[in-house]
Amino acid sequence: MIAVDLYGLPADYDRLQELCTADGLFLLEDAAQSFGGEYKGRKACSFGDAAATSFFPAKPLGCYGDGGMVFTNRDDLAEICRSLLVHGKGKDKYDNVRIGLNARLDTLQAAIVLAKFEVFPDELEKRQHVARRYTEALAPHPHLLTSPRG
Ligand SMILES: Cc1ncc(COP(=O)(O)O)c(C=O)c1O
């Protein structure tokens, strides 16, 4: 099952994990739009068997080109991901054990994401401040909703 967290709002992972466990399904969190978001005090990118986020410039934590990250607590999945991003490498990069990709994060993009990550909490707070101002300004227009849950 692929759950997509939209507009910074993680999906209902208690319920989804329950369904996946009952049916033996793999749960992947698509956190491309929710980096920095929280569900019941737990950060986005920490749910399911694995999670993926995007560092595309339009995303909450964006680089200046293309980039992304996969998160997992499972050692077996981490090993497969490391292999996939370097042409399906095995023991070393010339030992190819599966069909993979050339999907390493470019060094320049990594440097940009690391620098932006340091100021990310402050940036998130500023975004929330702007969002609250929109919510207040639009409050007299009940047909305009600023939050899908409220
Ligand atoms: C929810 C969601 N998932 C996945 C993606 C894809 O991200 P990327 O372009 O880095 O592959 C996007 C980007 O538009 C997205 O909004």
Side-chain angles (χ1 to χ4, degrees):
M1 178 186 289
I2 301 176
V4 182
D5 307 337
L6 284 179
Y7 314 118
L9 300 171
D12 183 357
Y13 284 101
D14 280 353
R15 183 78 187 111
L16 295 182
Q17 190 59 68
E18 204 179 298
L19 290 171
C20 288
T21 303
D23 287 340
L25 295 176
F26 183 95
L27 178 57
L28 175 65
E29 176 189 9
D30 178 340
Q33 291 196 22
S34 65
F35 193 90
E38 285 186 13
Y39 169 79
K40 298 189 176 174
R42 201 168 136 188
K43 292 280 186 201
C45 299
S46 69
F47 298 96
D49 295 279
T53 198
S54 166
F55 296 140
F56 186 74
K59 297 296 184 279
L61 179 63
C63 57
Y64 292 171
D66 274 311
M69 187 180 268
V70 176
F71 304 77
T72 183
N73 282 333
R74 285 181 44 181
D75 290 340
D76 59 330
L77 290 181
E79 190 183 329
I80 292 170
C81 288
R82 286 193 190 99
S83 166
L84 285 174
L85 67 87
V86 186
H87 301 294
K89 77 179 175 92
K91 293 187 300 295
D92 61 63
K93 65 179 177 179
Y94 301 113
D95 170 37
N96 302 97
V97 296
R98 57 176 57 83
I99 296 179
L101 304 158
N102 177 8
R104 296 176 296 262
L105 182 65
D106 179 82
T107 309
L108 195 61
Q109 302 304 337
I112 290 163
V113 169
L114 283 172
K116 290 180 74 178
F117 185 63
E118 280 184 31
V119 296
F120 185 72
D122 185 44
E123 195 170 296
L124 208 58
E125 184 42 49
K126 287 188 171 112
R127 274 175 196 243
Q128 291 299 327
H129 176 72
V130 171
R132 279 193 294 272
R133 287 191 63 185
Y134 270 102
T135 300
E136 282 162 25
L138 294 172
H141 309 281
H143 53 287
L144 292 177
L145 300 178
T146 55
S147 162
R149 286 185 189 158

